[in-house]
Amino acid sequence: MKTLTFLSRYLPLLALLASMAGCSGYRIGAGPLSGVAGGPVPPTELITEQLINAEKALRAQRGSQSLAHLVVRKPPPYTIGNGDILSIVVWDHPELAGQGVAASATAAEVPGPGAPPAGFVVDHEGRVQFPFAGALTLAGLTEEQARALLTKRLAHYIAKPLVTLRVQAYRSKRVYIDGEVRLPGLQAINDIPMTLVEALNRAGGMLPSADQSRIVLERGDARYQVGLRGLVKRGINPGSILLAPGDVVRVHSRDESKVFVSGEVVTPKALTMHDGRLTLNEALGESGGISPLSGDARQVYVVRRAPEGTRVYQLDARRAGALAMAEAFELEPRDLIYVAASPLANWYRSVSMLFPGALTQVVTSSRP
């Protein structure tokens, strides 16, 4: 009798709540942000094979366009710059040797132990003073070009001069390496082409915590994101990316490339991407999968903050081929994966909030 009395009292209300939960719950195509006040709801895009192919093509096109002008197949030779120290020797004329001044450089500016050797310093105007030749503008010239210019000047005073000219200390051009490398700091550009791989190797290599897919190259006001594995997949040698003086290379940490999984999954968590790659299927699998008790497999959402605004993708995991599409859908850093609750779970939670313990009392009272 108590059971019947209780049911008769609350059955109409429970039926009303059930209908409300079924109507106000998440719907296919409604998006996880439906009903949130404060602005328009972003449209929901269903994850299909066409969408996956379009995203892959857009990602490949964006990467190839941004890095096309950074790739140099044949690096140019080193050019002399302001502040470099030159070693100049005129053979059979020892009286012209040792005319340079000692450079006031530090050990950090000139590689190798000990004080920097004496030499001819290229001044702030790019010139060098040499006996008989006078002031020579050598900035912007290669060693061979500078040697030819000096030989031509000395030929007016010395018969068939034999000149040796080389850069003794490289101080005019530098790049800066920062982030997840063993030896962050500045690197001087010398006669060996300063490619991206060369700069990373001089910095001692990347740490285990480095994200090889998020190496940012800053050149002036421009920023380029370089992924080593992505370049290799596209057939681009990372050693062909030539750095310019003043470039800043930042190697980001893997902790900055996380994907967040929440909602009706077994274990909500933040996942670290594997060198910039993580698929929707892998993220759901590492979170234990969709909860069999409360998750709605029709409503798996991916919320992404894009430059053009927030984008919301939806996967219906009950459809044929859904697992294959989830494996092909690649996530991006800071993506949010949300699995909505089923209508039955929403109804149960609504009743539990209004009448704590009511369902438990019904079940207990109905037992013989």
Side-chain angles (χ1 to χ4, degrees), residues 307-327:
E308 62 274 11
T310 302
R311 301 185 66 179
V312 181
Y313 305 92
Q314 179 184 348
L315 174 69
D316 185 357
R318 300 194 312 175
R319 294 176 55 189
L323 293 180
M325 288 187 292
E327 180 61 28

Side-chain angles (χ1 to χ4, degrees), residues 173-209:
K173 303 176 180 66
R174 304 173 181 178
V175 296
Y176 302 87
I177 313 297
D178 191 15
E180 300 299 310
V181 293
R182 299 186 186 279
L183 300 173
L186 63 88
Q187 301 288 340
I189 298 178
N190 53 23
D191 55 333
I192 300 177
M194 182 63 77
T195 63
L196 177 62
V197 175
E198 178 70 18
L200 294 175
N201 288 334
R202 290 190 192 182
M206 292 182 286
L207 297 174
S209 58

Side-chain angles (χ1 to χ4, degrees), residues 53-305:
N53 294 333
E55 290 286 327
K56 287 183 178 180
L58 181 61
R59 191 180 297 110
Q61 181 183 7
R62 183 170 58 244
S64 60
Q65 288 179 349
S66 61
L67 301 178
H69 67 285
L70 300 179
V71 177
V72 179
R73 301 299 180 184
K74 187 178 180 181
Y78 180 84
T79 57
I80 299 171
N82 301 348
D84 285 344
I85 303 176
L86 307 180
S87 173
I88 303 176
V89 177
V90 182
W91 293 91
D92 297 330
H93 290 275
E95 70 278 4
L96 299 181
Q99 300 297 322
V101 296
S104 58
T106 62
E109 293 174 328
V110 181
F120 293 86
V121 181
V122 182
D123 63 17
H124 66 283
E125 294 183 354
R127 301 181 302 179
V128 168
Q129 298 286 340
F130 195 82
F132 298 125
L136 297 173
T137 302
L138 302 182
L141 302 181
T142 64
E143 289 184 350
E144 184 177 354
Q145 293 171 340
R147 185 185 306 113
L149 178 61
L150 180 57
T151 301
K152 182 179 179 180
R153 290 285 187 91
L154 293 178
H156 297 286
Y157 307 96
I158 303 174
K160 297 181 179 181
L162 182 59
V163 179
T164 298
L165 183 150
R166 63 184 180 86
V167 180
Q168 194 166 1
Y170 300 88
R171 306 191 305 164
S172 62
K173 303 176 180 66
R174 304 173 181 178
V175 296
Y176 302 87
I177 313 297
D178 191 15
E180 300 299 310
V181 293
R182 299 186 186 279
L183 300 173
L186 63 88
Q187 301 288 340
I189 298 178
N190 53 23
D191 55 333
I192 300 177
M194 182 63 77
T195 63
L196 177 62
V197 175
E198 178 70 18
L200 294 175
N201 288 334
R202 290 190 192 182
M206 292 182 286
L207 297 174
S209 58
D211 185 355
Q212 297 186 14
S213 67
R214 294 194 65 203
I215 301 176
V216 177
L217 171 61
E218 298 181 6
R219 179 173 296 177
D221 296 332
R223 291 170 57 92
Y224 308 94
Q225 182 163 323
V226 182
L228 296 184
R229 295 191 177 183
L231 291 178
V232 174
K233 288 182 178 179
R234 299 206 303 266
I236 301 176
N237 183 6
S240 62
I241 297 181
L242 187 66
L243 302 183
D247 282 355
V248 178
V249 178
R250 303 183 187 275
V251 182
H252 288 265
S253 172
R254 290 184 178 180
D255 293 336
E256 301 177 19
S257 304
K258 288 189 174 182
V259 170
F260 306 94
V261 184
S262 63
E264 305 304 321
V265 292
V266 176
T267 308
K269 61 172 63 174
L271 301 175
T272 302
M273 304 186 73
H274 311 302
D275 289 328
R277 187 182 186 280
L278 187 67
T279 65
L280 177 57
N281 190 39
E282 292 173 341
L284 292 175
E286 294 187 23
S287 301
I290 302 174
S291 173
L293 300 178
S294 58
D296 189 351
R298 300 171 302 173
Q299 303 182 77
V300 179
Y301 297 98
V302 178
V303 183
R304 176 174 301 168
R305 180 72 67 178

Side-chain angles (χ1 to χ4, degrees), residues 2-63:
K2 291 182 178 180
T3 302
L4 295 177
T5 303
F6 183 87
L7 290 176
S8 61
R9 180 181 303 175
Y10 290 105
L11 189 57
L13 181 58
L14 294 179
L16 177 62
L17 290 175
S19 61
M20 293 174 59
C23 295
S24 61
Y26 290 101
R27 299 184 304 275
I28 297 296
L33 304 179
S34 297
V36 179
V41 178
T44 301
E45 305 175 55
L46 293 177
I47 298 178
T48 60
E49 294 184 1
Q50 292 78 8
L51 175 66
I52 294 174
N53 294 333
E55 290 286 327
K56 287 183 178 180
L58 181 61
R59 191 180 297 110
Q61 181 183 7
R62 183 170 58 244

